[in-house]
Amino acid sequence: MTRSPRRLYLYWLLLLVPTLAVGVGAVLLLWRERVRLELDATAARETHRAAVVARARLVVENMDLLAGDVRDNLVAAMRELPSSPTVTREFLARWRLENALVKAGFMVSAYGSLSVPEPGTPEAAVFEQRFHALLAEFRSVTGMPAQASGARRGRPSQAAPPQHEPLADVSQPPEGGNLYLANNNANQFQQQRKDLQNASQGGTLAQQESASERSGWTVFGGGPEPLAVLVWLQRSLGDDARGAVLDVDELGKRLAAALPEEIGPGDGFTLLDATGRTVGARGSIPVNAEPTVRVPLNAAWLPGWQVTGFMPVLAGDGAGRALFVMGSLLTGIFVLTILAGGSLLLRQAEAS
């Protein structure tokens, strides 16, 4: 018994249309899942990147604080030295033996004459040649070194003058008041005004004495020229300035200690100097890879130095595409299997 061609076509349509509909629907769902996975991966990567950037900035802030502590500690040590020039020169000459951060000590008069290192020695000649700009500025009439070309230094803070409440004028007797009481109040007022003037003059002298102290963190070079950092103190105008040339390598080691120790898998942080040389590194640092973030240190401390942060490529970045490709292949195989099986059954039914 044979079946009519029209009925066979109907069977084919009943097999083909639902099968293709299921296949197309599966592919659309796979596409939507791919888009969702890619959006999730992008959001996770941006969150991870923001965390790396925030941590790098925190590291730079800590390094700036460390540099400030180094400056304050050295200035405090120089401030505590006695006023005796002989004792100060001896201390500065041997300071490098007692403090790993100090490469050499120096002492300069307010008019630029060098006393430490000892004049006429090779060390003094090298110092005068390298830092002649700083020595020239100490020869100024005021004795205060101004901002040097290619150098940076901090400014001493000055205390604001004390504020006093105005006193009421009681020199005139109140209307209808006691004359003795009015004169007594007037005498008290004059004494208060005199005491206030004396206190103001004493405060002004103290402020002037405090404001006359100068200290700084002066940077020379950087980039192609070797970096040199000088910390100095001038206790009063016209006084000798004492200071230290820092060991930049030792300073870099101490700053590199601020790099985070607990780091996520695949993350890494480095401290680079102005030439791009790695001073310190923590975590996973890929070779010849562009860092995720670059955060420079305060140029007043170490110009050109920066902290770089790295993060790995998330494994989920290609998960959505892989799922779509594999799912589409499986869906295609499923559709072809159904169509092939249905065709075989139809042929057997037609032959019978």
Side-chain angles (χ1 to χ4, degrees):
M1 181 178 67
T2 60
R3 301 177 183 276
S4 63
R6 181 177 299 178
R7 183 174 297 178
L8 292 177
Y9 291 149
L10 179 61
Y11 290 160
W12 265 103
L13 289 176
L14 291 176
L15 176 65
L16 181 63
V17 172
T19 303
L20 292 179
V22 171
V24 172
V27 171
L28 291 177
L29 290 177
L30 288 171
W31 178 263
R32 292 182 59 183
E33 185 65 14
R34 173 190 175 179
V35 173
R36 186 187 67 81
L37 290 176
E38 289 180 348
L39 291 177
D40 291 345
T42 301
R45 183 171 179 81
E46 290 299 323
T47 302
H48 192 177
R49 184 181 184 280
V52 172
V53 171
R55 197 162 192 185
R57 290 177 177 172
L58 180 61
V59 169
V60 168
E61 291 179 1
N62 292 335
M63 289 183 178
D64 289 339
L65 292 176
L66 284 175
D69 290 340
V70 168
R71 174 191 179 278
D72 294 342
N73 292 335
L74 294 178
V75 170
M78 290 183 285
R79 185 182 292 115
E80 294 174 357
L81 291 175
S83 57
S84 172
T86 303
V87 176
T88 301
R89 283 195 294 267
E90 292 177 353
F91 174 81
L92 295 175
R94 70 173 188 274
W95 201 1
R96 61 185 179 85
L97 302 177
E98 302 175 358
N99 192 327
L101 278 170
V102 178
K103 190 174 183 179
F106 66 90
M107 187 172 178
V108 185
S109 71
Y111 302 99
S113 60
L114 189 65
S115 56
V116 178
E118 186 177 353
T121 61
E123 293 80 4
V126 172
F127 188 93
E128 291 177 352
Q129 181 180 5
R130 181 73 194 277
F131 310 119
H132 62 88
L134 182 63
L135 297 177
E137 290 183 4
F138 272 102
R139 300 188 183 100
S140 60
V141 177
T142 60
M144 173 184 174
Q147 183 73 18
S149 175
R152 299 174 177 86
R153 60 173 59 88
R155 296 182 178 178
S157 60
Q158 299 182 1
Q163 302 294 330
H164 302 284
E165 293 294 334
L167 299 176
D169 188 358
V170 294
S171 58
Q172 298 297 329
E175 184 177 355
N178 188 292
L179 181 60
Y180 170 78
L181 179 62
N183 291 333
N184 189 33
N185 289 340
N187 293 333
Q188 291 180 358
F189 170 75
Q190 296 296 336
Q191 185 63 35
Q192 290 177 355
R193 174 172 293 180
K194 184 181 297 184
D195 293 341
L196 181 59
Q197 290 175 352
N198 294 334
S200 300
Q201 291 176 359
T204 303
L205 293 177
Q207 294 167 18
Q208 291 176 355
E209 182 178 357
S210 174
S212 64
E213 180 180 290
R214 311 296 180 199
S215 63
W217 171 293
T218 307
V219 179
F220 286 87
E225 185 181 2
L227 181 68
V229 179
L230 282 69
V231 178
W232 54 269
L233 170 69
Q234 188 180 31
R235 300 177 68 174
S236 63
L237 295 179
D239 194 7
D240 292 338
R242 68 281 306 266
V245 181
L246 299 190
D247 188 329
V248 178
D249 293 336
E250 180 65 24
L251 177 62
K253 293 179 182 179
R254 301 199 179 189
L255 295 182
L259 293 173
E261 296 182 359
E262 297 181 1
I263 302 176
D267 292 348
F269 296 90
T270 62
L271 173 63
L272 305 179
D273 63 10
T275 63
R277 180 178 64 90
T278 300
V279 179
R282 295 279 177 83
S284 302
I285 310 300
V287 181
N288 298 328
E290 186 67 19
T292 304
V293 59
R294 297 177 182 268
V295 182
L297 272 67
N298 191 337
W301 299 121
L302 293 170
W305 287 46
Q306 60 183 339
V307 170
T308 61
F310 296 86
M311 58 178 289
V313 177
L314 297 181
D317 287 352
R321 182 177 181 180
L323 175 66
F324 176 75
V325 172
M326 293 300 298
S328 298
L329 289 176
L330 293 176
T331 301
I333 293 173
F334 175 74
V335 170
L336 291 178
T337 301
I338 294 177
L339 292 179
S343 299
L344 181 60
L345 292 176
L346 287 176
R347 286 186 179 182
Q348 288 180 353
E350 183 180 5
S352 62

PDB file of all heavy atoms in Angstrom, residues 236-255:
ATOM      1  N   SER A 236      68.044  79.804  61.780  1.00  0.00           N
ATOM      2  CA  SER A 236      67.656  81.212  61.799  1.00  0.00           C
ATOM      3  C   SER A 236      68.333  81.909  60.637  1.00  0.00           C
ATOM      4  O   SER A 236      69.304  81.397  60.062  1.00  0.00           O
ATOM      5  CB  SER A 236      68.054  81.876  63.127  1.00  0.00           C
ATOM      6  OG  SER A 236      69.465  81.852  63.281  1.00  0.00           O
ATOM      7  N   LEU A 237      67.810  83.073  60.283  1.00  0.00           N
ATOM      8  CA  LEU A 237      68.383  83.837  59.183  1.00  0.00           C
ATOM      9  C   LEU A 237      69.824  84.212  59.500  1.00  0.00           C
ATOM     10  O   LEU A 237      70.138  84.691  60.582  1.00  0.00           O
ATOM     11  CB  LEU A 237      67.555  85.094  58.926  1.00  0.00           C
ATOM     12  CG  LEU A 237      66.122  84.865  58.434  1.00  0.00           C
ATOM     13  CD1 LEU A 237      65.411  86.192  58.252  1.00  0.00           C
ATOM     14  CD2 LEU A 237      66.124  84.091  57.138  1.00  0.00           C
ATOM     15  N   GLY A 238      70.698  83.962  58.557  1.00  0.00           N
ATOM     16  CA  GLY A 238      72.100  84.254  58.748  1.00  0.00           C
ATOM     17  C   GLY A 238      72.870  83.142  59.421  1.00  0.00           C
ATOM     18  O   GLY A 238      74.097  83.213  59.535  1.00  0.00           O
ATOM     19  N   ASP A 239      72.175  82.090  59.876  1.00  0.00           N
ATOM     20  CA  ASP A 239      72.845  80.967  60.521  1.00  0.00           C
ATOM     21  C   ASP A 239      73.322  79.979  59.461  1.00  0.00           C
ATOM     22  O   ASP A 239      72.864  79.995  58.306  1.00  0.00           O
ATOM     23  CB  ASP A 239      71.883  80.265  61.484  1.00  0.00           C
ATOM     24  CG  ASP A 239      72.611  79.317  62.420  1.00  0.00           C
ATOM     25  OD1 ASP A 239      73.856  79.315  62.392  1.00  0.00           O
ATOM     26  OD2 ASP A 239      71.930  78.588  63.159  1.00  0.00           O
ATOM     27  N   ASP A 240      74.269  79.113  59.857  1.00  0.00           N
ATOM     28  CA  ASP A 240      74.717  78.070  58.948  1.00  0.00           C
ATOM     29  C   ASP A 240      73.574  77.094  58.674  1.00  0.00           C
ATOM     30  O   ASP A 240      72.730  76.839  59.543  1.00  0.00           O
ATOM     31  CB  ASP A 240      75.901  77.305  59.554  1.00  0.00           C
ATOM     32  CG  ASP A 240      77.147  78.172  59.654  1.00  0.00           C
ATOM     33  OD1 ASP A 240      77.223  79.162  58.903  1.00  0.00           O
ATOM     34  OD2 ASP A 240      78.021  77.869  60.485  1.00  0.00           O
ATOM     35  N   ALA A 241      73.564  76.559  57.467  1.00  0.00           N
ATOM     36  CA  ALA A 241      72.595  75.533  57.093  1.00  0.00           C
ATOM     37  C   ALA A 241      73.290  74.183  57.142  1.00  0.00           C
ATOM     38  O   ALA A 241      74.365  74.015  56.571  1.00  0.00           O
ATOM     39  CB  ALA A 241      72.034  75.790  55.701  1.00  0.00           C
ATOM     40  N   ARG A 242      72.687  73.240  57.862  1.00  0.00           N
ATOM     41  CA  ARG A 242      73.220  71.903  57.901  1.00  0.00           C
ATOM     42  C   ARG A 242      72.250  70.978  57.188  1.00  0.00           C
ATOM     43  O   ARG A 242      71.040  71.241  57.157  1.00  0.00           O
ATOM     44  CB  ARG A 242      73.477  71.452  59.349  1.00  0.00           C
ATOM     45  CG  ARG A 242      72.265  71.234  60.237  1.00  0.00           C
ATOM     46  CD  ARG A 242      71.640  72.496  60.800  1.00  0.00           C
ATOM     47  NE  ARG A 242      72.585  73.327  61.506  1.00  0.00           N
ATOM     48  CZ  ARG A 242      72.766  73.246  62.838  1.00  0.00           C
ATOM     49  NH1 ARG A 242      72.079  72.375  63.539  1.00  0.00           N
ATOM     50  NH2 ARG A 242      73.601  74.066  63.440  1.00  0.00           N
ATOM     51  N   GLY A 243      72.772  69.904  56.604  1.00  0.00           N
ATOM     52  CA  GLY A 243      71.896  69.040  55.832  1.00  0.00           C
ATOM     53  C   GLY A 243      72.541  67.704  55.523  1.00  0.00           C
ATOM     54  O   GLY A 243      73.654  67.406  55.959  1.00  0.00           O
ATOM     55  N   ALA A 244      71.807  66.894  54.758  1.00  0.00           N
ATOM     56  CA  ALA A 244      72.252  65.555  54.396  1.00  0.00           C
ATOM     57  C   ALA A 244      71.868  65.271  52.956  1.00  0.00           C
ATOM     58  O   ALA A 244      70.775  65.641  52.510  1.00  0.00           O
ATOM     59  CB  ALA A 244      71.639  64.508  55.320  1.00  0.00           C
ATOM     60  N   VAL A 245      72.798  64.620  52.248  1.00  0.00           N
ATOM     61  CA  VAL A 245      72.505  64.080  50.919  1.00  0.00           C
ATOM     62  C   VAL A 245      72.014  62.655  51.118  1.00  0.00           C
ATOM     63  O   VAL A 245      72.726  61.825  51.701  1.00  0.00           O
ATOM     64  CB  VAL A 245      73.749  64.105  50.017  1.00  0.00           C
ATOM     65  CG1 VAL A 245      73.408  63.556  48.643  1.00  0.00           C
ATOM     66  CG2 VAL A 245      74.309  65.506  49.918  1.00  0.00           C
ATOM     67  N   LEU A 246      70.797  62.365  50.677  1.00  0.00           N
ATOM     68  CA  LEU A 246      70.198  61.062  50.936  1.00  0.00           C
ATOM     69  C   LEU A 246      70.742  59.997  49.991  1.00  0.00           C
ATOM     70  O   LEU A 246      71.098  60.281  48.844  1.00  0.00           O
ATOM     71  CB  LEU A 246      68.678  61.140  50.798  1.00  0.00           C
ATOM     72  CG  LEU A 246      67.932  62.075  51.744  1.00  0.00           C
ATOM     73  CD1 LEU A 246      66.433  61.843  51.630  1.00  0.00           C
ATOM     74  CD2 LEU A 246      68.394  61.896  53.176  1.00  0.00           C
ATOM     75  N   ASP A 247      70.777  58.779  50.497  1.00  0.00           N
ATOM     76  CA  ASP A 247      71.067  57.616  49.665  1.00  0.00           C
ATOM     77  C   ASP A 247      69.758  57.213  48.990  1.00  0.00           C
ATOM     78  O   ASP A 247      68.872  56.637  49.627  1.00  0.00           O
ATOM     79  CB  ASP A 247      71.614  56.476  50.523  1.00  0.00           C
ATOM     80  CG  ASP A 247      72.127  55.307  49.699  1.00  0.00           C
ATOM     81  OD1 ASP A 247      71.580  55.076  48.607  1.00  0.00           O
ATOM     82  OD2 ASP A 247      73.077  54.624  50.139  1.00  0.00           O
ATOM     83  N   VAL A 248      69.619  57.536  47.713  1.00  0.00           N
ATOM     84  CA  VAL A 248      68.353  57.321  47.011  1.00  0.00           C
ATOM     85  C   VAL A 248      68.018  55.837  46.930  1.00  0.00           C
ATOM     86  O   VAL A 248      66.846  55.448  47.009  1.00  0.00           O
ATOM     87  CB  VAL A 248      68.404  57.957  45.610  1.00  0.00           C
ATOM     88  CG1 VAL A 248      67.108  57.711  44.846  1.00  0.00           C
ATOM     89  CG2 VAL A 248      68.657  59.464  45.723  1.00  0.00           C
ATOM     90  N   ASP A 249      69.023  54.987  46.773  1.00  0.00           N
ATOM     91  CA  ASP A 249      68.755  53.543  46.721  1.00  0.00           C
ATOM     92  C   ASP A 249      68.171  53.047  48.038  1.00  0.00           C
ATOM     93  O   ASP A 249      67.209  52.265  48.048  1.00  0.00           O
ATOM     94  CB  ASP A 249      70.041  52.779  46.395  1.00  0.00           C
ATOM     95  CG  ASP A 249      70.536  53.058  44.981  1.00  0.00           C
ATOM     96  OD1 ASP A 249      69.700  53.440  44.138  1.00  0.00           O
ATOM     97  OD2 ASP A 249      71.746  52.906  44.722  1.00  0.00           O
ATOM     98  N   GLU A 250      68.729  53.494  49.145  1.00  0.00           N
ATOM     99  CA  GLU A 250      68.190  53.095  50.443  1.00  0.00           C
ATOM    100  C   GLU A 250      66.799  53.665  50.661  1.00  0.00           C
ATOM    101  O   GLU A 250      65.908  52.995  51.212  1.00  0.00           O
ATOM    102  CB  GLU A 250      69.125  53.564  51.551  1.00  0.00           C
ATOM    103  CG  GLU A 250      68.678  53.209  52.959  1.00  0.00           C
ATOM    104  CD  GLU A 250      68.652  51.714  53.215  1.00  0.00           C
ATOM    105  OE1 GLU A 250      69.384  50.975  52.514  1.00  0.00           O
ATOM    106  OE2 GLU A 250      67.910  51.285  54.115  1.00  0.00           O
ATOM    107  N   LEU A 251      66.591  54.898  50.214  1.00  0.00           N
ATOM    108  CA  LEU A 251      65.259  55.496  50.317  1.00  0.00           C
ATOM    109  C   LEU A 251      64.253  54.695  49.496  1.00  0.00           C
ATOM    110  O   LEU A 251      63.121  54.460  49.937  1.00  0.00           O
ATOM    111  CB  LEU A 251      65.307  56.945  49.836  1.00  0.00           C
ATOM    112  CG  LEU A 251      63.978  57.704  49.816  1.00  0.00           C
ATOM    113  CD1 LEU A 251      63.387  57.812  51.226  1.00  0.00           C
ATOM    114  CD2 LEU A 251      64.156  59.092  49.215  1.00  0.00           C
ATOM    115  N   GLY A 252      64.665  54.262  48.284  1.00  0.00           N
ATOM    116  CA  GLY A 252      63.769  53.455  47.463  1.00  0.00           C
ATOM    117  C   GLY A 252      63.413  52.134  48.111  1.00  0.00           C
ATOM    118  O   GLY A 252      62.265  51.670  48.029  1.00  0.00           O
ATOM    119  N   LYS A 253      64.383  51.491  48.789  1.00  0.00           N
ATOM    120  CA  LYS A 253      64.095  50.237  49.481  1.00  0.00           C
ATOM    121  C   LYS A 253      63.062  50.446  50.581  1.00  0.00           C
ATOM    122  O   LYS A 253      62.168  49.616  50.769  1.00  0.00           O
ATOM    123  CB  LYS A 253      65.379  49.659  50.068  1.00  0.00           C
ATOM    124  CG  LYS A 253      66.388  49.189  49.034  1.00  0.00           C
ATOM    125  CD  LYS A 253      67.636  48.667  49.711  1.00  0.00           C
ATOM    126  CE  LYS A 253      68.695  48.242  48.685  1.00  0.00           C
ATOM    127  NZ  LYS A 253      69.934  47.757  49.350  1.00  0.00           N
ATOM    128  N   ARG A 254      63.181  51.543  51.300  1.00  0.00           N
ATOM    129  CA  ARG A 254      62.225  51.793  52.384  1.00  0.00           C
ATOM    130  C   ARG A 254      60.843  52.125  51.843  1.00  0.00           C
ATOM    131  O   ARG A 254      59.829  51.739  52.428  1.00  0.00           O
ATOM    132  CB  ARG A 254      62.746  52.909  53.277  1.00  0.00           C
ATOM    133  CG  ARG A 254      64.093  52.578  53.898  1.00  0.00           C
ATOM    134  CD  ARG A 254      64.394  53.416  55.099  1.00  0.00           C
ATOM    135  NE  ARG A 254      65.689  53.061  55.684  1.00  0.00           N
ATOM    136  CZ  ARG A 254      66.141  53.513  56.844  1.00  0.00           C
ATOM    137  NH1 ARG A 254      65.388  54.346  57.561  1.00  0.00           N
ATOM    138  NH2 ARG A 254      67.318  53.146  57.300  1.00  0.00           N
ATOM    139  N   LEU A 255      60.798  52.832  50.735  1.00  0.00           N
ATOM    140  CA  LEU A 255      59.500  53.113  50.133  1.00  0.00           C
ATOM    141  C   LEU A 255      58.883  51.846  49.548  1.00  0.00           C
ATOM    142  O   LEU A 255      57.661  51.655  49.613  1.00  0.00           O
ATOM    143  CB  LEU A 255      59.653  54.179  49.046  1.00  0.00           C
ATOM    144  CG  LEU A 255      60.082  55.569  49.497  1.00  0.00           C
ATOM    145  CD1 LEU A 255      60.137  56.516  48.315  1.00  0.00           C
ATOM    146  CD2 LEU A 255      59.145  56.127  50.562  1.00  0.00           C
TER     147      LEU A 255
END
